[in-house]
Amino acid sequence: MEDRVRVVIAEDSVLLREGLTRLLTDRGHDVVAGVGDAEALIKTVAELAAEGAPPDVVVADVRMPPTHTDEGIRAAVRLRRDHPGIGVLVLSQYVEEQYATELLAGSSTGVGYLLKDRVAEVREFLDAVVRVARGGTALDPEVVAQLLGRSRKQDVLAGLTPREREVLGLMAEGRTNSAVAKQLVVSDGAVEKHVGNIFMKLGLSPSDGDHRRVLAVLTYLKS
């Protein structure tokens, strides 16, 4: 399978962990480990990396034992720092802006933040796992809406047209130009024009490369 990826799952709920494992393996992916706490996650990824067989992506719950507060997100941030080549996709019961901002700070590649309800949308979830594993981005629409809506850089956002804001929101979810065009029922050329205008208005130069798609969102998070 062309998009086959190696996955480590970190989730303290055995039922959910087994469910995610079954969902991924049924689609041809390799779940190389499943753990129930952040410490085991860090250890497992380090061991796999040392063996020369690191996972392509880690799927982790934001809240894990022992306190069920921020262990999962702290482990995710650490993994992004220590193993930048491994994608990190975190799952949360609801949008936690502080955690999302912390996770998205720094590198804009191989990162995702989805609400657990999104797992029920099987195709979207599987697409997100593969996209993050391949160095892309997957942000839940609710996460995007809250991070953009409550940003203190509304003066920057004010420069965008309603359509550009709509395009930006879809970009931040990790969608390609073609996917955005399909969603909005417009041509690829129209989307490319909107994207170009967004980059220009946010001061993102061509030297930023493809990462501009994520930087367009992160601009609002660095205030």
Side-chain angles (χ1 to χ4, degrees):
M1 189 171 105
E2 183 179 352
D3 286 331
R4 186 171 185 167
V5 296
R6 289 166 51 82
V7 187
V8 168
I9 298 174
E11 167 59 59
D12 64 292
S13 167
V14 176
L15 287 177
L16 181 53
R17 186 167 71 240
E18 292 301 319
L20 291 174
T21 298
R22 179 66 179 271
L23 182 63
L24 289 162
T25 55
D26 281 353
R27 297 313 193 277
H29 300 298
D30 297 321
V31 177
V32 296
V35 299
D37 61 74
E39 183 178 349
L41 172 60
I42 296 295
K43 180 180 179 181
T44 298
V45 171
E47 290 175 348
L48 290 170
E51 294 169 0
D56 298 305
V57 61
V58 168
V59 178
D61 192 353
V62 166
R63 299 175 182 269
M64 286 195 286
T67 68
H68 293 279
T69 55
D70 63 351
E71 283 88 352
I73 197 68
R74 286 193 285 109
V77 171
R78 178 175 171 181
L79 288 176
R80 278 172 54 74
R81 182 192 68 215
D82 296 345
H83 305 279
I86 298 175
V88 175
L89 174 61
V90 301
L91 304 178
S92 180
Q93 195 67 42
Y94 50 88
V95 179
E96 302 183 75
E97 295 180 43
Q98 179 182 348
Y99 294 162
T101 302
E102 185 176 2
L103 180 71
L104 295 170
S107 173
S108 58
T109 61
V111 62
Y113 189 116
L114 296 180
L115 297 184
K116 286 187 175 180
D117 288 346
R118 196 66 53 185
V119 178
E121 302 292 338
V122 174
R123 173 173 287 185
E124 288 188 28
F125 172 69
L126 294 172
D127 286 348
V129 171
V130 173
R131 190 160 63 245
V132 171
R134 299 307 184 211
T137 305
L139 298 180
D140 194 285
E142 290 296 323
V143 175
V144 174
Q146 289 203 29
L147 292 180
L148 294 184
R150 299 188 182 182
S151 168
R152 291 186 302 213
K153 288 198 172 181
Q154 290 299 308
D155 56 324
V156 177
L157 195 66
L160 303 181
T161 66
R163 177 61 90 180
E164 288 165 355
R165 293 191 193 200
E166 195 172 9
V167 170
L168 175 57
L170 293 172
M171 286 167 51
E173 292 172 27
R175 298 176 189 264
T176 63
N177 283 4
S178 294
V180 173
K182 184 176 180 180
Q183 178 71 21
L184 299 180
V185 194
V186 297
S187 68
D188 287 1
V191 172
E192 290 176 5
K193 182 177 180 180
H194 289 311
V195 171
N197 288 338
I198 291 168
F199 291 158
M200 179 185 67
K201 291 178 180 179
L202 297 184
L204 299 173
S205 67
S207 62
D208 292 318
D210 291 338
H211 294 172
R212 290 185 297 173
R213 300 184 73 83
V214 178
L215 291 175
V217 174
L218 296 183
T219 296
Y220 302 93
L221 308 181
K222 294 179 180 178
S223 59

